[in-house]
Amino acid sequence: MSLSIESILRPKGYAVVKAFTGRQALDLAEKVSPDLIVVDFRLPDMDGIEVARQLREASTVSPATPILMITTSSLGRAERLEALGAGAWDILRHPVDPSEFVLRMETLLGAKQEADRVRDEGLTDPSTGFYNARGLLRRTKEISADATRFDRPLACIAFGLEWLDTPTALANQAEEQALVNTAQSVADALKSITRVSDTVGRLTTGEFIIVAPGTDRAGAERLADRVLELVGESVHRESGPPGFREGEGRLRAGFFATAGDSAIDPGDVLFKATVALRRAQADQSGFPVRSYEA
């Protein structure tokens, strides 16, 4: 199988490094930092699924590194789900169509190269993979330009935590860790419900922003409600260190949506969503989501 894959890729200019066992593959991955990995479902010494799982844990294999799994036989649903859960991006049946295989490779490698570029330019938050403030502004400029060009709506939703009855500065390390844990819950919710076309940014430990192209005011409100539903409107500190009082932390959201009928200023979009968030955080009436009103 490795010879046939190599015969497809080398004429296209790809450098191919081969391993004949799972252990060899894991050792090579630590040395060469591959751009894409093809794993046989059945290897002589290890299960291909376990190889994929360990590759995902390797320091030289980033989350953006595509892993393709090749099989010579049909896989059942349980096996396919297990392979995808182990980190495989796709599962192909051998023999593969050479032209289709090359096109798949080019698409996946393009996605990895873009992710690498963003990372290298310092545009992402390392703990979540979301854009940082600089990356978010750059991406919002691109999305805003497209929305203006094609006369499409655009929404920006900001999320933040409201900590009641606490000092402005976090009192101790325990409270800081509670904030980090809650922010992780928000990050997990955003990863589970946002679309590929959405851009997600992290501004501070507890504040996040979604820029959603093609989304109007009603869609923005639904998205905000959905995130709050997943995280829970009240973030109970009873899950944190001893002495925390229930209900002190609440997730709030503010949004701004354009109709797509006028030029869009990206800085204005982010600013207005943040203003709406601040109003939601200051609102004691029980409304966790606020829209921007001039």
Side-chain angles (χ1 to χ4, degrees):
M1 185 184 301
S2 63
L3 289 175
S4 63
I5 296 296
E6 184 178 9
S7 67
I8 295 172
L9 297 179
R10 283 199 184 278
K12 298 294 183 179
Y14 292 103
V16 180
V17 179
K18 294 183 293 184
F20 298 98
T21 67
R23 177 46 55 192
Q24 287 179 1
L26 295 172
D27 291 341
L28 274 174
E30 292 289 349
K31 298 174 182 177
V32 301
S33 187
D35 288 320
L36 184 143
I37 303 171
V38 180
V39 179
D40 193 339
F41 186 78
R42 290 182 173 84
L43 292 165
D45 61 334
M46 297 176 66
D47 181 79
I49 291 177
E50 180 59 29
V51 173
R53 186 175 290 112
Q54 291 192 35
L55 284 169
R56 280 292 173 221
E57 298 173 354
S59 60
T60 53
V61 179
S62 75
T65 302
I67 296 179
L68 293 178
M69 191 160 287
I70 302 286
T71 176
T72 56
S73 59
S74 297
L75 298 183
R77 180 175 181 274
E79 289 177 313
R80 293 183 63 85
L81 290 177
E82 187 178 6
L84 295 172
W89 283 25
D90 203 353
I91 303 166
L92 306 179
R93 179 78 178 270
H94 192 75
V96 297
D97 179 272
S99 298
E100 179 183 350
F101 184 69
V102 170
L103 288 174
R104 284 177 182 267
M105 290 269 297
E106 291 174 346
T107 299
L108 296 175
L109 286 172
K112 181 184 185 298
Q113 289 165 358
E114 174 62 16
D116 289 345
R117 181 190 67 80
V118 169
R119 181 198 62 207
D120 293 341
E121 292 179 356
L123 302 181
T124 59
D125 167 57
S127 64
T128 61
F130 297 155
Y131 285 97
N132 57 24
R134 179 178 169 218
L136 182 64
L137 180 58
R138 176 183 292 192
R139 184 69 185 122
T140 303
K141 288 179 180 178
E142 297 170 350
I143 296 174
S144 299
D146 285 342
T148 300
R149 185 180 305 115
F150 297 107
D151 194 27
R152 293 173 180 167
L154 172 68
C156 182
I157 309 100
F159 298 90
L161 299 171
E162 174 201 6
W163 297 102
L164 305 179
D165 303 322
T166 59
T168 302
L170 294 172
N172 51 48
Q173 186 176 2
E175 291 202 355
E176 183 176 359
Q177 186 59 50
L179 178 60
V180 169
N181 293 343
T182 302
Q184 185 60 53
S185 298
V186 179
D188 291 342
L190 296 179
K191 289 177 181 178
S192 70
I193 68 171
T194 50
R195 306 165 299 177
V196 174
S197 59
D198 295 335
T199 290
V200 184
R202 180 179 184 177
L203 301 185
T204 65
T205 297
E207 293 195 346
F208 300 84
I209 284 185
I210 301 175
V211 180
T215 302
D216 58 15
R217 179 187 176 99
E221 191 164 7
R222 285 195 299 270
L223 183 54
D225 287 340
R226 179 62 178 143
V227 173
L228 265 62
E229 178 184 348
L230 284 178
V231 177
E233 180 183 336
S234 293
V235 183
H236 299 301
R237 286 195 171 186
E238 61 187 358
S239 62
F244 281 7
R245 294 186 296 279
E246 179 180 344
E248 283 186 311
R250 298 173 184 170
L251 183 64
R252 294 290 186 251
F255 68 88
F256 172 70
T258 69
D261 54 0
S262 59
I264 302 170
D265 179 88
D268 197 42
V269 168
L270 297 172
F271 171 75
K272 289 180 177 178
T274 304
V275 169
L277 171 61
R278 296 290 176 259
R279 291 173 179 170
Q281 289 172 319
D283 188 356
Q284 302 296 314
S285 62
F287 293 99
V289 180
R290 292 285 297 267
S291 64
Y292 175 82
E293 304 295 343

